[in-house]
């Protein structure tokens, strides 16, 4: 099965900073990669699918890129409401595996 | 607007069967373009996809290897819902369980159910 590795596992940044999270697959996925945001005590929410397509209603400061093995989630200007854990997920085929998550905090 | 409403007990005894149901509104469990999933989350395992059921002229199921010998996901077309049964549970099955609709990615989630396995 394909493994999904996220890095870093946690980060702390200032409001307004550009934040980058990476997700690496152990085999190629084409662009079958999604990103989710989970705020404390809440249900995960879809941010990006097909590696770079923004889900309706998601702020434009979020963007995704990549294909094949390496993918990136970028927050162009970190806001206090972006404090959360971010997960990637592959969906090229079953099993539909998640990455281990990246915890984003404000300095 | 698609919504998923989960129901089921929050406490299950070791060796017994965990059973949860997810009622669908705004879509059909027999949809030819969606799949219906169960996912769980615990501090030790993170987000773990457990399995799915979907209809493409006939019913199909996929299950995670980690639970394949113990899991059943069924669709109930008369009630427009789907269910999870996980047999022979242990304390390691303690987690928040979510149902979710997918078209590959998980676009709609249930509210989550904390299931504790304890005597």
């Amino acid at each position: 099965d394909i493994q999904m590795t996220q890095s870093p596992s946690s980060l702390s940044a200032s409001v307004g900073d550009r934040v980058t999270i990476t997700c690496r697959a152990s085999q190629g996925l084409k662009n079958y990669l999604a990103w989710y945001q989970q705020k404390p005590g809440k249900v995960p929410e879809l941010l990006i699918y097909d590696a770079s397509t923004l889900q309706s209603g998601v702020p434009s400061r979020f963007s995704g890129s990549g294909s094949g093995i390496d993918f990136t989630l970028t927050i162009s200007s970190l806001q206090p409401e972006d404090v959360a854990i971010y997960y990637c997920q592959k969906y090229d085929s079953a099993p539909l595996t998640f990455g281990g998550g990246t915890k984003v905090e404000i300095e | 607007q698609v919504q998923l409403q989960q129901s089921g007990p929050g406490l299950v005894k070791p060796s017994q069967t965990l059973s949860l149901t997810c009622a669908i509104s705004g879509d059909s469990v027999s949809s030819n373009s969606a799949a219906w999933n169960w996912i769980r989350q615990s501090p030790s395992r993170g987000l773990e996809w457990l399995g799915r059921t979907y209809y493409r002229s006939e019913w199909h199921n996929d299950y995670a290897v980690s639970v394949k010998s113990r899991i059943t996901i069924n669709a109930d077309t008369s009630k427009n819902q789907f269910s999870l049964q996980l047999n022979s549970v242990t304390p390691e099955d303690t987690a928040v369980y979510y149902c979710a609709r997918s078209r590959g990615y998980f676009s709609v989630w249930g509210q989550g159910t904390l299931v504790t396995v304890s005597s």
Side-chain angles (χ1 to χ4, degrees):
Chain A
D1 292 345
I2 296 175
Q3 306 303 312
M4 305 300 295
T5 303
Q6 280 185 242
S7 60
S9 56
S10 65
L11 65 90
S12 183
S14 298
V15 172
D17 281 355
R18 183 181 185 89
V19 169
T20 299
I21 298 168
T22 63
C23 180
R24 172 165 287 182
S26 59
Q27 297 176 39
L29 304 178
K30 297 186 180 178
N31 67 335
Y32 298 117
L33 192 284
W35 290 96
Y36 301 86
Q37 177 192 64
Q38 186 176 30
K39 296 183 178 181
K42 300 296 186 182
V43 178
E45 291 188 356
L46 177 67
L47 290 177
I48 287 167
Y49 60 94
D50 293 347
S52 61
T53 302
L54 206 62
Q55 172 72 342
S56 176
V58 174
S60 59
R61 63 181 179 273
F62 291 93
S63 64
S65 64
S67 68
I69 294 174
D70 290 316
F71 301 87
T72 299
L73 172 69
T74 299
I75 308 172
S76 61
S77 177
L78 187 67
Q79 299 301 305
E81 60 266 33
D82 300 335
V83 168
I85 302 176
Y86 294 84
Y87 297 93
C88 61
Q89 177 241 333
K90 65 171 270 302
Y91 54 92
D92 60 317
S93 63
L96 309 181
T97 310
F98 291 89
T102 296
K103 186 175 185 179
V104 174
E105 297 176 313
I106 301 288
E107 281 181 346
Chain B
Q1 181 183 0
V2 180
Q3 293 186 320
L4 303 177
Q5 181 67 38
Q6 298 177 219
S7 59
L11 181 64
V12 181
K13 288 181 167 52
S15 80
Q16 295 193 343
T17 297
L18 181 161
S19 296
L20 296 173
T21 299
C22 185
I24 303 164
S25 58
D27 200 351
S28 169
V29 73
S30 302
S31 166
N32 274 303
S33 60
W36 306 96
N37 302 260
W38 288 97
I39 297 159
R40 68 182 177 183
Q41 185 173 31
S42 64
S44 60
R45 292 176 174 265
L47 280 168
E48 180 183 20
W49 174 80
L50 298 177
R52 65 183 177 185
T53 190
Y54 58 98
Y55 185 76
R56 302 289 185 270
S57 303
E58 61 182 4
W59 287 100
H60 300 268
N61 289 94
D62 295 310
Y63 298 129
V65 169
S66 61
V67 295
K68 192 168 187 176
S69 63
R70 301 191 290 132
I71 190 172
T72 303
I73 297 176
N74 284 323
D76 184 340
T77 57
S78 67
K79 295 181 178 179
N80 202 32
Q81 64 186 29
F82 63 107
S83 63
L84 166 69
Q85 287 196 311
L86 188 65
N87 302 325
S88 306
V89 297
T90 72
E92 287 196 352
D93 295 309
T94 294
V96 176
Y97 287 75
Y98 296 101
C99 61
R101 185 187 77 166
S102 69
R103 291 177 177 170
Y105 49 87
F106 304 110
S107 53
V108 182
W109 295 65
Q111 79 274 24
T113 301
L114 173 60
V115 178
T116 301
V117 179
S118 174
S119 54

